[in-house]
Amino acid sequence: MDHLQNPLSQISFIEKNYLKKLEKLGLETVRDFLYFFPARYDDFSLLKKIGDLKLNETATIEAKIKSIQNIRTWKKRMTITEASIEDSSGSMRIIWFNQPFLLSNLKEGGTYRFSGKLISDSKGLHLSNPAYETASRLPTNTGRIVPVYSETYGVTSKWLRWKMSQLLKVYLKEIPEIVPNAILKRQKLLGAEEAIKELHFPSSLEKVKEAQKKIAFEEMFLIQLNALRSRKSWEDSKSIQVKFDEKLVKKFVKSLPFKLTNAQKKSSFQIIKDLEKKYPMNRLLEGDVGSGKTVVAAIAALEAMMAGYQTAILAPTEVLARQHFETFGKVLKGFSQKIGLLTTSVSQTFWKKNTKKNFLGKIKRGDIKILIGTHALIQKSVEFNKLALVIIDEQHRFGVNQRAYLQKQTSTLKDGSKNTIPHLLSMTATPIPRTLALAYFGNLDISLLDEMPKGRKKIITKIVTPSKRKEIYDFLRAEIESGRQAFFIFPLIEESEKISGKAATEEHKNLAENIFPDLKIGLLHGRMKPKEKEAVMAKFSAKGGSASGGKNDRIDILVSTSVIEVGVDVPNATIMVIEGSERFGLAQLHQFRGRVGRSDHQSYCFLFTDSTSENTSQRLHALIESEDGFKLAEKDLEIRGPGQFLGTQQSGRPDSAMQYLGDIKLIEQARLEAQSVFALDPKLEKFPVLKEALEKIDKDIHLE
Ligand code: ADP
Ligand code: MG
């Protein structure tokens, strides 16, 4: 019986009124609790006498309280608790702000440990807001290296430390060692028990580092093993083999209005080769915004279509699905076209001659060879005939289950081959640094479009401080008068699109009424209905505009939340203004910038910011210096750390251990060790603990 799986509700010393709060932190079992790691540490391990304390020194002293009282200051409307303390070497003062309840915890004549920094201000030398605890108690909140947990939902670090010490007493011995012994030795890693103990009750900061490394290694080792296993089972399954039709591909490439880049050729060939294999492809096509992923996808879909099979193409938004439908229609014009579009709002109106039922019938019979759509594709009512290939655009926009759904669409072929699994091509414009790709996509093959089509103009990028706003507004007006268009992006101020939608609505009003009353300003945000969004996009993509006397109602400036990030393609828009740009990650800013620079006109990206912090300036400058999405992603990883980069909530995942995910060496070592274990014992029969751990995490290590 695995006691670590005991629910916290069964632990007598965890107060019942805490259970809900802990649940919000993602802590439901003993294991969750013990694996909830500190965000940082305060080093209170230096023990001193009052007489030896130095200015600005952080230390712990043990002393008796001579007097303690609350003083109300009317001017600043706060309560100051002032204590006078003494030990054998002298006496000193302590001041706490706004904690009048301290009087009931700290008694005159009692002896306590106090930890804090000795400071000097108008009140003279004193400790300000020190941590404290009764001297007779084992050092928990003072007198040691004290862990500081991220305090949310009313769960304090103090409480967590106290409960952690109680839980560890009972359960420390039960912490399983997942990493095989030989590897622990080879990699010079702490044992599991020691690592957990050191993280919550450190003996030194060096040990904390070692413990974090152990946890990171363990996590990475599991991820890598998991990847190897899923790859193996993937390779054991069967696919529809699509034979390379050289003539066909040559004809297609010739029909394009441009020459493929070398990167496009190389990636296409990798995909063509994969399609020929007995087991399904599982490949990620990674390429910066505008690097030309769509044509590569089209080659794969064309091959499948001409061999008589079906392809499903999944796009995250209506706008994008429709765009793909048009593009595919265009580039595949010279070939037998059996392309369909299925989105929730389009399916009825678009296929006028077909009822939806008819249309679904065509898919089921296999008459529609390339089906492009949004989430509407992922429904029971949509059945395929011979689905050979699934292409997922902007794959990070889809959940694991949604992606897995299409993968489960098995086909039975005439030659008797049964239950084939479609080839999978995922596409992303989010450049994933090599370390993270290794860490999270260990079971994928990756094709890179690391080369832009020729002849693109460099986008001029500028940081705009508040004093320069007016200048930029004037410049923008001049550009619009000469026929161009602009985007204004507002950051997601709160988590919810509802609130940021409101912010964008207000900004839209401000721009339309106060700044550009003579121009046409449109608004787009995630809370609008698909039809409304489409109508706005149509007005933005229209010809005409204020420059041509405003005869139609083309939008000059489109105000939007970050929903604009994917897909939108309006070549006449040449100016991208990003408000509060410091709030976005570099990779995302780069995506926004990629919305302009799509025509012969010079394009601009203005990064508005009020922030004067060094970090912001460093990040935004990186954007000016580089147009390379991959370099920017690496930079983001360096500056903000992988947790931020992946957008993972801090759900108890050791943020400190996450830091190590930026450590390519650790990842590579974990990968090598996982490979050696897997090669020896793929079923992990000799490693039952490891096997069990793998089965547990199987579900939640995918990158969302
Ligand atoms: P993304 O990788 O962002 O999805 P797209 O596939 O939408 O990029 O391509 C962006 C634009 O570049 C499209 O208008 C496409 O026709 C064009 N394009 C693609 N490949 C080339 C190429 N080799 N040379 C010139 N233009 C290209
Ligand atoms: Mg694209």
Side-chain angles (χ1 to χ4, degrees), residues 399-460:
V400 176
N401 293 336
Q402 293 170 320
R403 274 180 267 159
Y405 181 88
L406 283 170
Q407 216 52 61
K408 290 198 195 100
Q409 302 293 315
T410 55
S411 315
T412 306
L413 304 183
K414 267 201 208 98
D415 67 2
S417 49
K418 265 187 192 149
N419 296 335
T420 60
I421 288 180
H423 297 284
L424 176 62
L425 177 65
S426 312
M427 304 200 284
T428 183
T430 310
I432 302 159
R434 194 172 120 72
T435 44
L436 291 182
L438 265 183
Y440 285 91
F441 299 115
N443 58 336
L444 285 186
D445 293 310
I446 295 181
S447 290
L448 269 187
L449 293 184
D450 51 3
E451 178 189 1
M452 282 291 179
K454 289 199 180 58
R456 297 267 161 90
K457 269 201 182 129
K458 193 175 156 87
I459 300 166
I460 296 173

Side-chain angles (χ1 to χ4, degrees), residues 243-261:
K243 263 198 87 193
F244 176 32
D245 185 341
E246 196 176 343
K247 252 180 145 168
L248 173 71
V249 173
K250 278 210 169 120
K251 184 177 162 206
F252 173 76
V253 171
K254 252 200 181 144
S255 77
L256 292 171
F258 46 75
K259 263 190 139 146
L260 291 182
T261 64

Side-chain angles (χ1 to χ4, degrees), residues 539-552:
K539 274 192 199 168
F540 191 58
S541 340
K543 300 225 171 345
S546 290
S548 65
K551 285 190 194 74
N552 64 6

Side-chain angles (χ1 to χ4, degrees), residues 258-261 264 287-295 453 456 598:
F258 46 75
K259 263 190 139 146
L260 291 182
T261 64
Q264 281 172 321
D288 217 338
V289 188
S291 60
K293 293 184 287 296
T294 318
V295 198
R456 297 267 161 90
R598 292 170 168 252

Side-chain angles (χ1 to χ4, degrees), residues 301 305 309-315 321 324-325 328 338-343 347 351 359-360 362-364 367-374 376-379 381-384 387 389-391 406:
M305 171 167 81
Y309 304 115
Q310 288 177 302
T311 298
I313 302 178
L314 195 57
H324 278 328
F325 180 68
F328 272 76
K338 292 164 180 171
I339 309 176
L341 178 67
L342 185 71
T343 72
S347 52
W351 293 92
F359 183 52
L360 291 177
K362 282 189 170 181
I363 299 170
K364 195 171 171 179
D367 294 347
I368 304 259
K369 289 285 189 273
I370 300 178
L371 181 64
I372 300 170
T374 54
L377 281 191
I378 312 175
Q379 286 176 37
S381 58
V382 184
E383 283 177 72
F384 293 88
L387 185 61
L389 172 64
V390 171
I391 298 174
L406 283 170

Side-chain angles (χ1 to χ4, degrees), residues 552-564:
N552 64 6
D553 50 3
R554 181 178 81 168
I555 292 168
D556 299 311
I557 298 177
L558 184 62
V559 175
S560 170
T561 59
S562 49
V563 295
I564 204 82

